[in-house]
Amino acid sequence: MEKEEETDRKQPLQNVDDTIPSHFIPLIKVYSLLNTIRQNDRITKDKNHHASIKQIYTPPAPPLSPMTSVNSDIIINNDSRKKRAKDFSPVDIITKRQRNTDAARRSRLRKANKMETLEHKVDVLQKDNNRLRVKVAVLENDICHATEKDRRNRLRVLELEAQLALAHTQLVKEYKNED
């Protein structure tokens, strides 16, 4: 029976997700072992405590009165839950608690790992965002310079066209004067 418990305890640790960093696995094993030791101590204390209580006092069953008949279904359901919990042996309860503890620990580690990766993604995206903002600013500056240059070139073209028109009219006048 103890060998089965050991294999049950080791199996969840061997099936740990690949997303958990390898340096956390020894810590998980140590915490799991410490948790098992604590639970075994609690069980022995509980056994001793329950044995002493049973020797001292056994509570009587509560009488059903007309006032409690309205809630009799609830009382029956509560009693049946208690009976189902009593059907399990302490070893089953320990292994279930251990599995639950290990599952919760793995869940917390997965959550921490997910948060770490999300934080890393946030950092990468913020750096990328800042880089793109700088690029946008440079491109906007280039656009500003290009539009200014285009405006100056258009003005220059207009000036040259005006000079050309003036030169043309002078040439036409000179040609007419020669005739």
Side-chain angles (χ1 to χ4, degrees), residues 75-123:
I75 293 171
I76 291 169
N77 287 339
N78 286 341
D79 289 341
S80 64
R81 286 184 192 151
K82 289 179 184 176
K83 287 179 184 176
R84 277 190 243 138
K86 289 179 183 178
D87 291 341
F88 294 115
S89 69
V91 175
D92 291 338
I93 294 171
I94 292 171
T95 56
K96 185 176 179 182
R97 284 182 184 168
Q98 183 62 40
R99 285 186 199 140
N100 188 20
T101 302
D102 292 341
R105 185 175 295 116
R106 285 192 308 273
S107 175
R108 286 190 295 270
L109 285 172
R110 276 194 305 271
K111 183 178 179 183
N113 193 20
K114 185 176 181 180
M115 288 299 293
E116 188 176 306
T117 57
L118 288 175
E119 287 171 355
H120 178 70
K121 283 182 181 179
V122 165
D123 290 340

Side-chain angles (χ1 to χ4, degrees), residues 6-139:
E6 289 177 21
T7 57
D8 285 345
R9 288 183 197 136
K10 290 179 183 177
Q11 283 176 350
L13 294 175
Q14 291 171 351
N15 294 334
V16 175
D17 291 294
D18 294 334
T19 59
I20 297 175
S22 60
H23 63 276
F24 283 136
I25 294 175
L27 291 173
I28 294 170
K29 289 181 180 179
V30 168
Y31 283 125
S32 178
L33 182 62
L34 288 173
N35 195 19
T36 305
I37 292 170
R38 283 189 204 129
Q39 286 182 351
N40 287 339
D41 288 343
R42 283 188 208 139
I43 288 172
T44 54
K45 287 179 184 177
D46 286 345
K47 283 181 182 177
N48 293 337
H49 179 70
H50 289 305
S52 63
I53 288 176
K54 284 182 181 178
Q55 291 173 357
I56 296 171
Y57 176 72
T58 305
L64 291 177
S65 65
M67 296 296 283
T68 59
S69 64
V70 173
N71 296 328
S72 62
D73 293 336
I74 296 171
I75 293 171
I76 291 169
N77 287 339
N78 286 341
D79 289 341
S80 64
R81 286 184 192 151
K82 289 179 184 176
K83 287 179 184 176
R84 277 190 243 138
K86 289 179 183 178
D87 291 341
F88 294 115
S89 69
V91 175
D92 291 338
I93 294 171
I94 292 171
T95 56
K96 185 176 179 182
R97 284 182 184 168
Q98 183 62 40
R99 285 186 199 140
N100 188 20
T101 302
D102 292 341
R105 185 175 295 116
R106 285 192 308 273
S107 175
R108 286 190 295 270
L109 285 172
R110 276 194 305 271
K111 183 178 179 183
N113 193 20
K114 185 176 181 180
M115 288 299 293
E116 188 176 306
T117 57
L118 288 175
E119 287 171 355
H120 178 70
K121 283 182 181 179
V122 165
D123 290 340
V124 168
L125 291 173
Q126 283 178 340
K127 288 177 183 175
D128 194 35
N129 197 11
N130 289 337
R131 182 184 58 80
L132 290 173
R133 284 178 199 261
V134 169
K135 189 174 182 178
V136 164
V138 167
L139 291 174

